[in-house]
Amino acid sequence: MTALETRPAPPRATALRRAAPALLGYAAVRALGLLALALWSAARDKSPYTLLTARWDALWYTRVAELGYGYEVRLPNGDVHSNLAFFPLLPWLERMLAAVSPLSYADAGFVVTLLASLAAAWGIFAVADHVYGSRAGVCAVLLWAVLPVGIVQSMAYSESVFTALAAWSLYAVLTGRWLTAGGLALLAGLTRPVGLAVVAAVWAAGIASFVRERSTARTGGAQSTARAPRDGARRAFGLLLAPLGAAGYVLWVGHRTGKGPLGYLDVQAGWRNGFDGGYAFARFVADKFTSFPSALAGVGLIAGVALVIRLYVVCVRQRQPLPLLVYAGVVTALALCASSYFGSKPRLLMPAFPLLLPLALGLARLRTPRSALVVAVVAVVSAGYGAFWLNGSGPP
C-alpha cells in the first residue's frame, strides 16, 4: 500500500468481528494492570481509585467539569498554574455524563476513559489491520496496552480520548472519508494541544490526494476525473473542519486572557511548558551524568530516545502511509522537544501508536504460542511497573 492509496472500510459488523480478539486481549491486559494496582495500593494503604481519578491532571479536569474555567494556583516562585491549560473535551464529556447519571464528575471521567480506551484500541486495530492485516492489528493493540505507562489508559486523563479520536481520524483518511476525518480531527484538537498532529496528518494526506488526483487527470484517468468534483468538495470541507477545534480553543483562551492569539502560550508558560527544540530535555539528560547512580538513568534516557527515533526511521523505511508518518512524527517531535516536566514524556509519547507497527509486524511473524508468551511476560512486567509508578511519582 503506497502513501496515497485509500480503500473502502469494511461493513461495521464485519469490522467489529475482526477486532474482537484485539479488544478482548486489550481488556485482559488492562484488567491485569488494574488488579496489580489494587494489590500494590492495598499494601501501601492507598486507594487505587483515587490514584486513577483524583490525582494530578485528573483533578484539574474534574475541576473544569464542575466549576468551569478561571481556577488558578499561584506558586511561591511566582508561577501561575491556570486550568486554561487543559483543553475542554474531556471535562465536557465528564459534565454531560454526570448530568444524565448519578455519577460524580470523577466517576464520569473514569467511565469516559474506560470507554475511550476501548475505542482507541479498536481504532489502532483498524489502522494496523487496514495497512498490514488483522494479525498485525491484534499485535499492535496488545503492544499499546503493555506500554510501561499503559496504566494512564485507565486514568481519568485525556490520553485515551485523544488516541481514540486520532486513530479513527487516521483510519477515516486511509479509507477516503474526509468529512469524518476532519470532524474527528476537530474533536482531537479540543482534547489536547497535540491535536495539531492529527490536523497535520489530515492536511498532508489531503494535499497529497489532491496532487495525485491532478496527476491522474493529466494522464487520462476518466473514471477518477468523473468523481473528482464530489470527492474534492468533501475533502476540502474535511480539511477546513480539521483545525477548527484547536484554533477555536486557543483563540478563546487568548480572548479570555486579553493577550490575543498567543495567550495560550502564556498560560502554558505559567506551567513551565513550552517548545525549545529539546534543549531543556538535553540539559536534563546531561545533568544525569554528574554522578554514577544518576548516570545509569541518563544512559536509559538516551537509549529510550534512540529507540523512539529508530522506530520512526523504520516506519519511514517500511513506507507507512503518509498520514501515519506525519502524525507520529509531529507527536514525537512535540513530546521530545517540549520543555515540560520530563517525567511526562513517556505519557506524551503514548498516542504515537504508529511507532509500534514495526514491532507489531515482528511479533506477528512469530508463532502464536511464542507471541502470546512474549505479550504475557511483558504485560506482567508492565502491570507491576504501572502499579509501582502510580503509587510513587506517577504522571504529573
Side-chain angles (χ1 to χ4, degrees):
M1 181 177 184
T2 69
L4 302 179
E5 289 177 349
T6 60
R7 297 197 310 269
R12 189 170 302 173
T14 301
L16 181 57
R17 284 197 300 270
R18 287 179 66 86
L23 296 179
L24 291 173
Y26 177 80
V29 172
R30 291 273 37 89
L32 176 63
L34 293 175
L35 176 61
L37 176 64
L39 295 175
W40 200 297
S41 300
R44 294 177 60 89
D45 197 26
K46 291 185 177 181
S47 165
Y49 191 68
T50 298
L51 293 175
L52 292 170
T53 63
R55 294 286 302 278
W56 305 291
D57 288 7
L59 191 57
W60 284 88
Y61 282 119
T62 299
R63 284 173 177 157
V64 174
E66 183 178 5
L67 304 174
Y69 285 106
Y71 177 82
E72 63 184 29
V73 175
R74 294 184 178 271
L75 304 184
N77 65 357
D79 289 344
V80 178
H81 288 184
S82 168
N83 65 0
L84 289 169
F86 296 88
F87 276 49
L89 185 61
L90 177 56
W92 287 348
L93 293 175
E94 291 177 345
R95 181 178 295 180
M96 286 189 292
L97 183 56
V100 298
S101 72
L103 298 176
S104 69
Y105 293 113
D107 296 337
F110 184 64
V111 171
V112 167
T113 295
L114 290 183
L115 296 177
S117 67
L118 288 171
W122 190 2
I124 292 170
F125 172 82
V127 170
D129 178 30
H130 187 82
V131 179
Y132 295 119
S134 61
R135 189 174 176 86
V138 172
C139 292
V141 170
L142 294 177
L143 288 173
W144 191 67
V146 302
L147 288 173
V149 294
I151 189 65
V152 175
Q153 297 162 18
S154 300
M155 297 180 67
Y157 271 42
S158 60
E159 272 77 9
S160 290
V161 175
F162 174 78
T163 304
L165 294 168
W168 284 107
S169 180
L170 293 171
Y171 181 69
V173 169
L174 295 175
T175 53
R177 295 177 295 168
W178 294 102
L179 292 177
T180 301
L184 292 173
L186 184 156
L187 293 175
L190 287 170
T191 307
R192 297 184 61 80
V194 76
L196 173 66
V198 188
V199 177
V202 173
W203 271 75
I207 293 170
S209 177
F210 174 76
V211 171
R212 183 170 183 263
E213 189 177 87
R214 291 291 297 272
S215 176
T216 301
R218 284 197 301 268
T219 57
Q223 184 176 359
S224 296
T225 304
R227 296 178 54 188
R230 182 180 62 182
D231 292 345
R234 290 178 177 175
R235 180 178 59 227
F237 192 50
L239 296 185
L240 289 175
L241 279 176
L244 295 183
Y249 182 68
V250 168
L251 292 174
W252 178 80
V253 170
H255 174 73
R256 183 182 176 98
T257 59
K259 297 182 178 180
L262 300 182
Y264 184 76
L265 298 181
D266 289 336
V267 171
Q268 285 284 20
W271 287 82
R272 298 292 179 96
N273 289 338
F275 188 87
D276 62 1
Y279 175 73
F281 185 42
R283 286 192 57 185
F284 173 77
V285 175
D287 289 343
K288 293 293 183 182
F289 291 91
T290 56
S291 64
F292 175 72
S294 63
L296 296 177
V299 171
L301 288 171
I302 292 174
V305 172
L307 174 61
V308 169
I309 295 174
R310 172 62 179 169
L311 286 174
Y312 187 75
V313 171
V314 174
C315 291
V316 174
R317 289 179 176 175
Q318 290 180 344
R319 301 185 65 192
Q320 280 189 14
L322 178 64
L324 301 189
L325 293 176
V326 171
Y327 168 75
V330 175
V331 172
T332 302
L334 291 176
L336 295 182
C337 298
S339 59
S340 56
Y341 179 70
F342 306 113
S344 302
K345 293 193 181 293
R347 172 172 67 86
L348 299 179
L349 283 167
M350 192 171 64
F353 67 88
L355 296 179
L356 298 174
L357 295 184
L359 299 177
L361 282 172
L363 189 61
R365 294 188 186 105
L366 299 178
R367 294 180 180 274
T368 299
R370 182 171 296 182
S371 61
L373 177 62
V374 170
V375 170
V377 171
V378 177
V380 170
V381 174
S382 174
Y385 176 78
F388 163 77
W389 183 53
L390 215 56
N391 276 276
S393 61

